[in-house]
Amino acid sequence: MKLTIERTALLKSLGHVQSVVERRNTIPILSNVLLEAKGERLALTATDMDLAIVDHAPGEIAAPGAATVPAHMLYDIVRKLPEGSQVQLELAGDGGQVAIRAGRSRFTLQTLPKEDFPSTAAGELPHRFPIAAVDLRSLIDHTRFAISTEETRYYLNGIYLHAHTGSKQHALRAVATDGHRLARVEMPLPDGAENIPGVIIPRKMVGEVRKLIEEVDGAVEVSLSDTRVRFAFNDIVLTSKLIDGSFPDYQRVIPTGNDKTLEVDRREFRDAVDRVSTISSEKSRAVKLSLKSGSVVISATSPENGTAMEELEVKYEGAALEIGFNARYLLDVADEVDGDGLQMVLADAVAPTLVRDMADAMALYVLMPMRV
Amino acid sequence: MPMFKARKLCPEAIILPPNMAKYQKAGKEVRALMLELTPLVEPLSIDEAFLDLTGTEKLHKSSPAESLARLALKIEREVGLTVSIGLSHNKFLAKIASDLNKPRGFSVIGKAETLSFLAEKPVRFVWGIGQKTSESLAKDGLTTLGQIQSMAERDLVARYGKLGGHLWHLARGHDERIVDPDSEAKSISAETTFDIDIAEFDDLARELWPLCEKVSDRLKRAGLAGGNVHLKLKTGGFRIISRQMSLNAPTQLAETLFRSGRTMLQREATGMRYRLIGIGVGDIRDAADADPMDLADPGAAQRRKVEAAIDAVRAKLGKGSIGKGRGLEFKRR
């Protein structure tokens, strides 16, 4: 293997793949990135066994071939090379080393046998559909904050993606919950997604995909089987195992009979909750909403710290009601609402509360109240 | 000693079931009498407590020794129980003194005689020094606290680390711990030792369930809930295995304890034979936020209702009147 590649292109691709590589690895080869020079391109592959990423960068290939080198080390080297340099990568020392040359800099990195690099083949992925990057960003952004970190209920450690057959319109739905809050977002079902199985995409995959599609304009191609998911866009392919478990029947916990509607200015509400919650005890983070016609008083009391309260003018015509929430959860939801108006639909102080973005009918949140 | 050994040694023994409710009632009455002496009462268990009588001489117009003698008499007359009292200048020594001439004991260890009193005692007298440590101390020729007293703290720390320092201080009767009335239960647990060691997961889980009910019962009665669950197992070789799991929300439900305990048990029940199983909760707090509805577990509300119904029936008709199927006794094949 011998090739020359622009530092910028190499750094960008390395940046994409290196974050998949765990900092600590019990299997040494998983710390390495697989470099494969073929045709006009260098393919870079990294994996943690569950998640694999391949990115491609254009290069001048003098001799095709492959090698594996420590991913973070190579990334750090390339990052520190002067901007605009041309980087030459060459397999040297009977294949035991990769020599890196750029300007006056010379490095050699120890390799591990490329044959030992785990296969990242995903097998058959029978379902395939396109989704606009902007839509995928929306699905992820509006749900990922609710992903659980609880180890025992591992099936909550991701976003549940599935096709919902509605009476009027079919939708692609993303759902996440940690038991305290639930986020559900949908979009019109893309062509080809009609028969997809419901899948749980693990948190790490969600994070990597989201990071990499930040700048993507076009479509992302999604491929699925019962056990794996793949996202392909630009020169990047991300493949991940799915979480093997069944997502709870979330429809049953979404309230349908709530009758008290509260409408607030999202920013005003968010900031007030944020201010008042300064007082709340670290452990519970509880704030109380006291609703009466036309106003809500947000308050917090802590035996150690003191008290706080703030009154907001709101649209509310229901009966007076006092209800407590974890301030963190209110803030998370308020942050994810894009529009100016936030609507809460309540029943009583102990039942789940619905939260909606008044500018976006596709997103829906459920919050469990706390006793205050 | 496990019950099966006791039975073997003494087949004609009459075995009485414990009456927890009765103990608790008496314990409460005794606690109330203690609180008449000082607000600084730190319960240690259902029938033990530390009292700090510092500065109460004027109030009671009597020395702590006199006040305590009067307390013992009052408990005998009003509650009908005998007590053993140990009086000293710190918790460590007071506890030792209370154990000196049970039952109906009254011992005082004064500051002046502390060193000489401890000198002839074995190292095992110090809490934290178990069988293994005392064996390794004995190997180094250290068997009594007197020997420890004659050594430099530095040498002990150099040789035994933190434990060495601990040993040195307590051998001299130093104990800085205060009597803390707010030191609430840090955990609530229940455990059982089997007649015969058990390896099967199903059998272990069956033993686990009544313990979960017991812990849950205590939580419910005290209006408390636990934020984490711990499982304890002791192998046939007396090795203790502890596993812990945080809960998504604090609980007082037997069902939730059992589900968490069973998950942890599953990983440990891999063929090892166990002689003991225990389950407990930590991160104890008020039950106000216990067992909220769980958006990720649509069945939880139903299970909570079932348990409340069982509790209600039991309250009316007695503990054996109703229960879950998994609580039924099965004959082990």
Side-chain angles (χ1 to χ4, degrees), chain A residues 150 153 155-156 177-182 248-249 252-253 352 368, chain B residues 247-249 256 291-301 303-304:
Chain A
E150 201 187 333
R153 295 195 285 183
Y155 49 85
L156 301 179
T177 180
D178 62 4
H180 301 293
R181 59 253 177 92
L182 179 144
D249 181 8
R252 278 172 61 192
V253 300
M368 275 312 297
Chain B
L247 294 171
N248 196 37
T256 308
D291 303 298
M293 188 181 148
D294 187 335
L295 295 172
D297 188 356
R303 293 198 299 273
R304 195 178 53 221

Side-chain angles (χ1 to χ4, degrees), chain B residues 30-50:
Chain B
V30 172
R31 183 88 26 94
L33 293 177
M34 289 173 174
L35 285 166
E36 287 179 6
L37 272 191
T38 169
L40 295 179
V41 176
E42 178 184 330
L44 202 58
S45 67
I46 183 166
D47 61 355
E48 274 179 304
F50 285 117

Side-chain angles (χ1 to χ4, degrees), chain B residues 111-133:
Chain B
K111 255 192 185 146
E113 67 250 25
T114 299
L115 278 181
S116 58
F117 168 81
L118 289 172
E120 63 213 51
K121 299 290 181 266
V123 287
R124 294 273 314 247
F125 236 64
V126 169
W127 48 272
I129 307 294
Q131 193 176 338
K132 282 212 181 117
T133 322

